[in-house]
Amino acid sequence: MNSAHIPSILVNGFLSSGKTTYIQDCFKNDYFYKKGRTLLLSFEEGEMDYDLELLKSRRTDLAVFSHSEDPSDFLKRCLERFAPDRVYVEMNAMIPELCETLSSILRIDFSVMLIEGSTFQLYLTNLRQLLQNMVQTSRQVIFNRISREELEPYGNLFRIMNKKASYLWEGPTGYHEKAFGILVPFDLNSDTLTLSDTDFTPFYLDALAAPAHYAGNELHLLCQVAYTPESARDDIFCAGRRVMTCCAADIQFLSVPCHCPDGQLPGNQAWIELTARGTLRPDSYGQNRLVLEAEAIQPAKMPENLVIGLGLSIDSGC
């Protein structure tokens, strides 16, 4: 059978993060058993066992990985034996190489990560790079057993780790809502915004999510210049800063496109003091994005801190 054509869901997270509960809750939905069979591959044995009667009633076969077996052989054997129409995978986060083996055999259509509140701080402090790698490969991240107040300070950190993921908070009753609200350290109602180093990351994230917040605003910021292969041709440069989430290997250049009306583009990698006005332009998908219209560009000295940290007093395990 061609395993690349089997829809597969990856459920990742550290031990006791709620993966088993999450998967069983998914199986309670009617659409999981009305058509075809499901194969559930468990790569770790957590504290909660699966309800075998529930799985049977949902046309689901359970296969538990033995660490004495080669993971490739295990996967191929299970796929041949059960011939599933869909696959759910409960992943062991402490063996990241399993994900590489899995992706070489199965087509992962969706990856969700669960983060549990009581161990959240421990893993963020001691296994931050591993946690970040898991977040970066997830389409959805769900936080459980943690209050909104405890979670809120980490919004910018996670949204920089993976800007495309959706982040959900699970309340005590099991209800899900957005994990992070809009949190910017400046007044969005002000016509003029002067962005400091610490303002840049929340500005960038908010501009991605809600570009209309900055339409018509005058912005002042210290930034570095960069170009894409196409941008200079359209009199556009990238105005941005380098931001670090974990360690030097994770530094990213985050930028907003800036149009230079007079065509006098600044040099690549130059540091500038930029005064610009926010405008909205449709991207290739027809979605409005923030584009700055340069009003004044002044050369600037290289700042003392070339890289912006996210200001969390956590010792990285990187």
Side-chain angles (χ1 to χ4, degrees), residues 2-70:
N2 189 344
S3 59
H5 294 163
I6 304 173
S8 303
I9 309 295
L10 176 66
V11 182
N12 211 345
F14 294 105
L15 192 66
S16 301
S17 61
K19 299 188 295 295
T20 301
T21 301
Y22 173 86
I23 291 172
Q24 293 198 139
D25 286 345
C26 288
F27 287 171
K28 290 175 183 177
N29 292 305
D30 288 349
Y31 58 83
F32 277 98
Y33 70 98
K34 286 191 172 180
K35 183 178 180 181
R37 296 197 66 85
T38 300
L39 172 61
L40 171 55
L41 300 173
S42 179
F43 283 87
E44 70 176 14
E45 296 183 64
E47 296 179 356
M48 178 178 177
D49 294 327
Y50 281 100
D51 182 341
L52 298 182
E53 289 300 317
L54 171 67
L55 299 185
K56 183 178 179 181
S57 69
R58 263 45 182 176
R59 296 183 181 179
T60 297
D61 300 298
L62 172 64
V64 179
F65 174 66
S66 169
H67 293 280
S68 62
E69 187 173 3
D70 179 79

Side-chain angles (χ1 to χ4, degrees), residues 198-253:
T198 55
D199 293 337
F200 183 82
T201 300
F203 157 71
Y204 170 82
L205 290 168
D206 191 45
L208 280 182
H213 285 171
Y214 305 94
N217 289 75
E218 185 177 87
L219 295 104
H220 302 268
L221 65 152
L222 171 68
C223 59
Q224 193 172 22
V225 175
Y227 291 93
T228 66
E230 302 83 14
S231 63
R233 181 185 62 206
D234 299 321
D235 292 335
I236 288 178
F237 64 90
C238 302
R241 295 295 302 268
R242 286 178 169 78
V243 175
M244 182 173 66
T245 57
C246 180
C247 51
D250 301 303
I251 294 174
Q252 302 177 57
F253 184 72

Side-chain angles (χ1 to χ4, degrees), residues 8-241:
S8 303
I9 309 295
L10 176 66
V11 182
N12 211 345
F14 294 105
L15 192 66
S16 301
S17 61
K19 299 188 295 295
T20 301
T21 301
Y22 173 86
I23 291 172
Q24 293 198 139
D25 286 345
C26 288
F27 287 171
K28 290 175 183 177
N29 292 305
D30 288 349
Y31 58 83
F32 277 98
Y33 70 98
K34 286 191 172 180
K35 183 178 180 181
R37 296 197 66 85
T38 300
L39 172 61
L40 171 55
L41 300 173
S42 179
F43 283 87
E44 70 176 14
E45 296 183 64
E47 296 179 356
M48 178 178 177
D49 294 327
Y50 281 100
D51 182 341
L52 298 182
E53 289 300 317
L54 171 67
L55 299 185
K56 183 178 179 181
S57 69
R58 263 45 182 176
R59 296 183 181 179
T60 297
D61 300 298
L62 172 64
V64 179
F65 174 66
S66 169
H67 293 280
S68 62
E69 187 173 3
D70 179 79
S72 296
D73 293 341
F74 169 76
L75 283 167
K76 292 173 183 177
R77 176 173 58 80
C78 291
L79 292 173
E80 290 176 1
R81 176 185 174 186
F82 296 108
D85 296 283
R86 68 192 69 83
V87 176
Y88 263 68
V89 181
E90 181 185 22
M91 183 50 64
N92 187 330
M94 299 306 293
I95 312 177
E97 58 269 22
L98 283 177
C99 280
E100 297 179 13
T101 301
L102 185 73
S103 60
S104 68
I105 297 173
L106 283 175
R107 182 194 75 195
I108 303 300
D109 295 275
F110 189 81
S111 178
V112 59
M113 178 183 179
L114 287 96
I115 299 178
E116 192 270 331
S118 67
T119 56
F120 168 58
Q121 209 49 45
L122 174 69
Y123 291 125
L124 191 59
T125 302
N126 299 304
L127 295 171
R128 189 161 170 178
Q129 186 64 64
L130 177 57
L131 183 145
Q132 174 163 307
N133 292 343
M134 294 161 62
V135 170
Q136 288 175 335
T137 57
S138 299
R139 292 271 301 278
Q140 187 177 85
V141 179
I142 300 174
F143 300 89
N144 57 52
R145 292 170 243 166
I146 187 171
S147 71
R148 297 297 298 270
E149 292 74 21
E150 292 173 297
L151 186 60
E152 190 60 50
Y154 303 97
N156 290 340
L157 174 67
F158 278 94
R159 285 185 289 193
I160 291 298
M161 285 183 183
N162 187 340
K163 296 183 282 293
K164 295 182 179 180
S166 61
Y167 296 94
L168 298 178
W169 172 75
E170 182 181 309
T173 62
Y175 179 76
H176 291 83
E177 57 185 70
K178 284 186 177 181
F180 307 118
I182 297 171
L183 185 65
V184 291
F186 42 78
D187 184 5
L188 286 171
N189 295 316
S190 175
D191 292 333
T192 302
L193 297 174
T194 300
L195 304 178
S196 66
D197 283 6
T198 55
D199 293 337
F200 183 82
T201 300
F203 157 71
Y204 170 82
L205 290 168
D206 191 45
L208 280 182
H213 285 171
Y214 305 94
N217 289 75
E218 185 177 87
L219 295 104
H220 302 268
L221 65 152
L222 171 68
C223 59
Q224 193 172 22
V225 175
Y227 291 93
T228 66
E230 302 83 14
S231 63
R233 181 185 62 206
D234 299 321
D235 292 335
I236 288 178
F237 64 90
C238 302
R241 295 295 302 268

